[in-house]
Amino acid sequence: MSQLALTTAGETRSKWARPRLHPGLWLSYCFLGTLIAASVLASFVAPHSPTDQNLTNTFAGPSAQHLLGTDGFGRDVLSRLIWGGRSAFFGVAIAVAVSLLL
């Protein structure tokens, strides 16, 4: 009985069997992975340059050309969020690395 454990339903399974993860956990892993992949691949994924300005298109609402609209300088908000995620995740990675070293 050292390698078998009884479950609540009465069936036996290995003591070292991997527990199934909740579907919501898988969804959050996929979402976080998508955010990290988009940030790492920002030069390929972002629809516009984050620094290009179009002063005739300031504070424009969401449209087919700018999915999240534009800011006060006419820059694409979605592109700026994607490029900003790169530095945010890099800062988090440094903080985790330092905490693991300490």
Side-chain angles (χ1 to χ4, degrees):
M1 185 87 178
S2 63
Q3 288 188 346
L4 297 177
L6 290 176
T7 62
T8 56
E11 70 269 2
T12 59
R13 65 183 176 110
S14 172
K15 178 180 176 182
W16 304 106
R18 181 185 295 179
R20 285 195 276 162
L21 297 177
H22 192 272
L25 189 61
W26 281 110
L27 184 64
S28 62
Y29 282 156
C30 291
F31 183 71
L32 185 61
T34 302
L35 288 178
I36 292 172
S39 296
V40 170
L41 301 171
S43 58
F44 302 109
V45 176
H48 302 282
S49 172
T51 57
D52 286 347
Q53 295 182 7
N54 182 1
L55 295 176
T56 61
N57 201 14
T58 59
F59 295 115
S63 66
Q65 187 177 9
H66 302 284
L67 294 177
L68 293 180
T70 59
D71 63 0
F73 293 106
R75 299 173 295 198
D76 185 52
V77 174
L78 177 62
S79 297
R80 294 182 61 80
L81 283 173
I82 292 172
W83 278 95
R86 176 179 275 186
S87 59
F89 284 123
F90 182 69
V92 169
I94 289 176
V96 169
V98 168
S99 68
L100 287 174
L101 288 175
L102 294 177

